[in-house]
Amino acid sequence: MEPRTNRRTTLLSRPAAGIIVVILAALVLAADQFSKHLALTNLPYQEPVEVWGQFLQFYLTRNPGAAFSFGEEVTWVFTLVLAAAAVTIIVLAVTRIRSRAWAIVLGLLLGGILGNLTDRLLRDPGFLVGHVVDFINTPWMWLGMNPAIYNVADMFIVTMMIGVALLVLRGRRLDGSREGDDAPAEDADVSASAEPARESRDDD
């Protein structure tokens, strides 16, 4: 009885899950684009600005490749990949997601994807091949190797992909049920609500 109750209380309606995804994605997109605007307005181009020694520096640059400067020769491919990933998350939000955890993780991931996709579509040198604005440098992370410069969108993409992996490893499904459950979350709710009626008939 208790597992069903816990599962039922964490379920969302599909519209509610979609709203969470949209709101979180919009917030991350706004934070990413606003931070890039501030960087472009206030930072010198490709000159390090120390904020906190080797822990945090700003280094404004434009990246034609993927996250963390990989794949600079095939910019349009990454644009299509980002667009496909964004569409996939939107479709899942509309049709499948009922788990609050999945709604949060995929909403934040979608915001990160849209942040870099906006750069690909709207920034120079042109549509589909725009360069992503990067400006965050944390040299301590790279253990003496050439550091990769990144942005707010990259942070959400990487951390939320880790979140996706953790949800999968924990067996959490998009509909709120878990691996090993005998029935989907919706069926469990129906059976749980029917139990009091059955118990009442048994008492009679």
Side-chain angles (χ1 to χ4, degrees), residues 119-136:
D119 286 8
R120 297 293 186 205
L121 296 177
L122 302 181
R123 297 192 188 275
D124 292 335
F127 185 72
L128 294 181
V129 293
H131 293 181
V132 173
V133 175
D134 290 333
F135 62 95
I136 302 172

Side-chain angles (χ1 to χ4, degrees), residues 21 25 78-93 106 109-115 117-118:
V21 171
F78 294 114
T79 303
L80 297 181
V81 170
L82 287 172
V87 170
T88 299
I89 294 174
I90 292 170
V91 170
L92 290 175
L106 291 182
L109 176 60
L110 178 61
I113 291 171
L114 292 177
L117 182 60
T118 299

Side-chain angles (χ1 to χ4, degrees), residues 42-44 47-53 56-60 135:
N42 297 289
L43 295 177
E47 294 182 19
V49 176
E50 288 196 359
V51 178
W52 192 0
L56 175 62
Q57 298 176 359
F58 290 149
Y59 187 88
L60 177 62
F135 62 95

Side-chain angles (χ1 to χ4, degrees), residues 146-193:
N146 187 35
I149 316 301
Y150 54 98
N151 56 47
V152 172
D154 290 333
M155 292 191 295
F156 279 98
I157 291 172
V158 172
T159 56
M160 291 306 107
M161 286 303 298
I162 295 172
V164 168
L166 291 175
L167 289 174
V168 171
L169 289 174
R170 293 183 60 191
R172 183 71 65 84
R173 297 190 181 111
L174 293 170
D175 65 359
S177 63
R178 293 178 181 272
E179 294 291 341
D181 286 344
D182 293 333
E186 294 88 342
D187 295 340
D189 288 343
V190 172
S191 61
S193 62

Side-chain angles (χ1 to χ4, degrees), residues 19-129:
I19 289 171
I20 290 175
V21 171
V22 169
I23 290 175
L24 292 179
L27 290 174
V28 173
L29 174 60
D32 175 70
Q33 291 298 306
F34 183 63
S35 65
K36 288 171 179 174
H37 169 73
L38 292 178
L40 290 169
T41 303
N42 297 289
L43 295 177
Y45 189 67
Q46 293 189 342
E47 294 182 19
V49 176
E50 288 196 359
V51 178
W52 192 0
Q54 292 296 301
F55 185 81
L56 175 62
Q57 298 176 359
F58 290 149
Y59 187 88
L60 177 62
T61 189
R62 294 179 181 270
N63 174 22
F68 302 109
S69 303
F70 297 121
E72 297 183 357
E73 303 302 320
V74 285
T75 302
W76 64 273
V77 173
F78 294 114
T79 303
L80 297 181
V81 170
L82 287 172
V87 170
T88 299
I89 294 174
I90 292 170
V91 170
L92 290 175
V94 172
T95 63
R96 296 281 305 278
I97 298 175
R98 295 196 61 193
S99 162
R100 182 178 288 106
W102 273 109
I104 292 172
V105 168
L106 291 182
L108 296 174
L109 176 60
L110 178 61
I113 291 171
L114 292 177
N116 283 344
L117 182 60
T118 299
D119 286 8
R120 297 293 186 205
L121 296 177
L122 302 181
R123 297 192 188 275
D124 292 335
F127 185 72
L128 294 181
V129 293

